[in-house]
């Protein structure tokens, strides 16, 4: 099989021939139809994530595809069935091993692309908004980086939870996609004053901020929260980790809430599975609208990573081996 290999952090990714993996006990061999590209994958291959995998490695943290073979003790899945799963590593390949405990059947209505780019973004969005942010129906939600992977999922999940959603992104084209997904209001945050505009659009202050960008946008977003506002710290795609004046947390009884879905998911297999099944149920019912990701071939893996890091992707991207 062919696989994308990272041989040196920051060096161009290479496409290589590798032996087909064989499923052991409790494992599935999946023929990858689509492998979602996430910001974390880009950090991994640049050696900028807090965990550095031993070199060389095959990146790719989530996939969807057809079961090609099953190992011993796997009763639930049969060859030919469509599954999606977190892989952690190894997804940017024609075939990948997945533990049966991590695999979930793909509902009939989801395309391979939607399924292969679903787990991380949508799980993060629901875990952040409902479990950590206590977002309630009728509340207002500001989403930064709203046209990115977790950003779009936060719009979609926020609307499904009954919130009024304000999307903030860098270009009119990205904001048009956010509006099409259901955002009620839009802010072009490079050009408009984020704090002032958010307050204007939310009757004085939003209830919840979903912030995967950080950098220069975190403080104005926190200052735009109202009484009892919750600022969810998701990530720092903007580059720098901001320092926040604590008086801004004291004022209006605000909270700054950390969200580490990855760490939670690793320690909470059953609750994560329930969260994912719930999200897939909502998608089947038409309550969620996962976007079709931008398509890249395996040969184009490096270009996909570059496009992501240079903010050229509107929505999510996936490799289609
Ligand atoms: N805490 C968690 O559990 C968790 C889970 C998943 C992801 N994350 C984090 O969330 C962040 C976003 O992940 P993602 O997969 O959604 O990434 P993504 O699809 O690339 O989206 C990131 C968005 O950030 C914005 N951005 C602003 N400045 C940027 C810059 N200098 N470089 C790149 N993007 C920039 C871009 O939108 P504009 O061009 O519109 O500004 C882009 O759409 C990452 O930091 C990731 O590590 C955290």
């Amino acid at each position: 099989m062919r696989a994308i290999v990272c041989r040196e952090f920051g060096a161009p990714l290479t496409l290589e021939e590798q032996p087909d993996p064989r499923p052991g006990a409790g494992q599935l061999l999946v023929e990858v139809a689509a492998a979602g590209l996430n910001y974390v994958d880009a950090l991994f291959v640049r050696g900028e994530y807090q965990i550095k995998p031993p070199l060389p490695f095959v990146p790719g943290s989530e996939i969807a595809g057809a079961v090609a073979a099953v190992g011993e003790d796997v009763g639930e899945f049969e060859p030919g069935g469509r599954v999606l799963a977190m892989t952690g590593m190894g997804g940017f390949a024609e075939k990948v091993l997945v533990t049966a405990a991590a695999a979930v059947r793909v509902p009939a209505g989801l395309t391979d692309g939607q399924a292969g780019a679903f787990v991380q973004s949508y799980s993060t969005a629901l875990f952040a908004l409902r479990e950590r942010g206590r977002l309630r129906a009728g509340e207002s939600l500001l989403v930064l980086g709203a046209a990115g992977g977790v950003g779009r999922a936060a719009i979609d999940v926020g609307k499904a939870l009954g919130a009024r959603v304000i999307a903030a992104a860098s270009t009119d084209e990205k904001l048009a996609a956010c509006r099409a997904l259901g955002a009620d209001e839009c802010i072009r945050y490079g050009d408009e004053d984020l704090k002032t505009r958010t307050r204007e659009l939310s009757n004085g202050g939003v209830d919840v901020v979903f912030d995967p960008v950080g950098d220069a946008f975190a403080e104005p977003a926190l200052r735009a929260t109202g009484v009892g506002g919750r600022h969810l710290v998701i990530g720092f795609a903007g580059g720098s980790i901001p320092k926040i004046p604590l008086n801004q947390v004291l004022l209006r009884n605000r909270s700054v809430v950390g969200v580490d879905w990855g760490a939670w998911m690793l320690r909470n297999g059953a609750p994560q599975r329930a969260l994912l099944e719930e999200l897939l149920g909502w998608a089947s019912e038409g309550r969620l609208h996962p976007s079709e990701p931008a398509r890249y071939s395996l040969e184009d893996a490096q270009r996909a990573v570059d496009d992501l890091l240079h903010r050229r992707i509107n929505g999510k991207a996936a490799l289609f081996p």
Side-chain angles (χ1 to χ4, degrees):
M1 68 159 192
R2 297 178 314 149
I4 290 296
V5 180
C6 176
R7 294 206 158 268
E8 190 186 333
F9 294 125
L13 297 167
T14 52
L15 181 58
E16 300 183 11
E17 197 64 39
Q18 294 199 339
D20 278 10
R22 292 183 33 181
Q27 288 183 320
L28 312 173
L29 179 66
V30 178
E31 199 159 324
V32 179
L37 173 65
N38 294 278
Y39 197 87
V40 68
D41 302 312
L43 293 181
F44 267 126
V45 300
R46 286 160 63 99
E48 290 172 4
Y49 194 65
Q50 52 260 44
I51 303 159
K52 288 189 180 41
L55 294 165
F57 68 96
V58 177
S61 48
E62 63 179 346
I63 58 100
V67 177
V70 297
E72 285 171 33
D73 305 329
V74 179
E76 204 186 330
F77 298 99
E78 287 172 4
R82 292 171 77 222
V83 294
L84 61 83
M86 280 293 293
T87 48
M89 291 284 159
F92 295 170
E94 287 174 334
K95 291 175 185 161
V96 66
L97 290 176
V98 169
T99 57
V104 175
R105 283 180 215 286
V106 177
L110 282 193
T111 64
D112 290 334
Q114 288 171 313
F118 188 84
V119 186
Q120 287 190 54
S121 300
Y122 274 84
S123 302
T124 300
L126 183 56
F127 175 67
L129 294 176
R130 192 174 64 187
E131 315 306 324
R132 303 291 292 142
R134 307 282 169 215
L135 180 69
R136 292 182 295 270
E139 288 194 316
S140 53
L141 166 68
L142 170 66
V143 179
L144 306 185
V150 291
R152 275 210 203 184
I155 295 176
D156 208 9
V157 171
K159 291 302 296 179
L161 293 174
R164 185 166 165 275
V165 177
I166 302 170
S170 59
T171 68
D172 288 337
E173 197 188 354
K174 287 185 175 185
L175 287 170
C178 296
R179 208 178 269 284
L181 187 56
D184 299 285
E185 304 286 353
C186 290
I187 300 174
R188 211 171 57 200
Y189 55 13
D191 306 304
E192 298 180 75
D193 183 313
L194 181 62
K195 181 188 81 175
T196 308
R197 196 69 192 115
T198 303
R199 283 185 172 179
E200 283 170 5
L201 292 172
S202 60
N203 201 19
V206 283
D207 296 299
V208 175
V209 174
F210 182 93
D211 179 7
V213 178
D215 204 69
F217 295 130
E219 188 176 331
L222 174 65
R223 286 173 183 266
T225 55
V227 172
R230 288 88 76 199
H231 185 116
L232 301 174
V233 181
I234 310 294
F236 310 102
S240 73
I241 298 174
K243 292 186 170 52
I244 299 291
L246 275 181
N247 66 314
Q248 290 303 322
V249 184
L250 177 154
L251 292 169
R252 297 188 175 198
N253 289 298
R254 294 164 171 147
S255 306
V256 175
V257 183
V259 177
D260 190 347
W261 168 74
W264 175 82
M265 173 270 292
L266 287 173
R267 288 175 183 76
N268 295 275
Q272 163 57 25
R273 200 178 175 88
L275 186 96
L276 181 55
E277 302 267 14
E278 185 177 10
L279 284 163
L280 290 169
W282 290 359
S284 298
E285 293 161 12
R287 244 179 108 182
L288 293 177
H289 317 87
S291 312
E292 192 59 38
R295 292 181 79 94
Y296 292 85
S297 62
L298 271 188
E299 288 82 350
D300 281 335
Q302 184 61 55
R303 186 165 63 85
V305 170
D306 292 342
D307 284 350
L308 180 132
L309 290 171
H310 290 96
R311 302 160 82 171
R312 290 192 286 261
I313 295 170
N314 188 351
K316 199 142 171 175
L319 305 187
F320 288 74

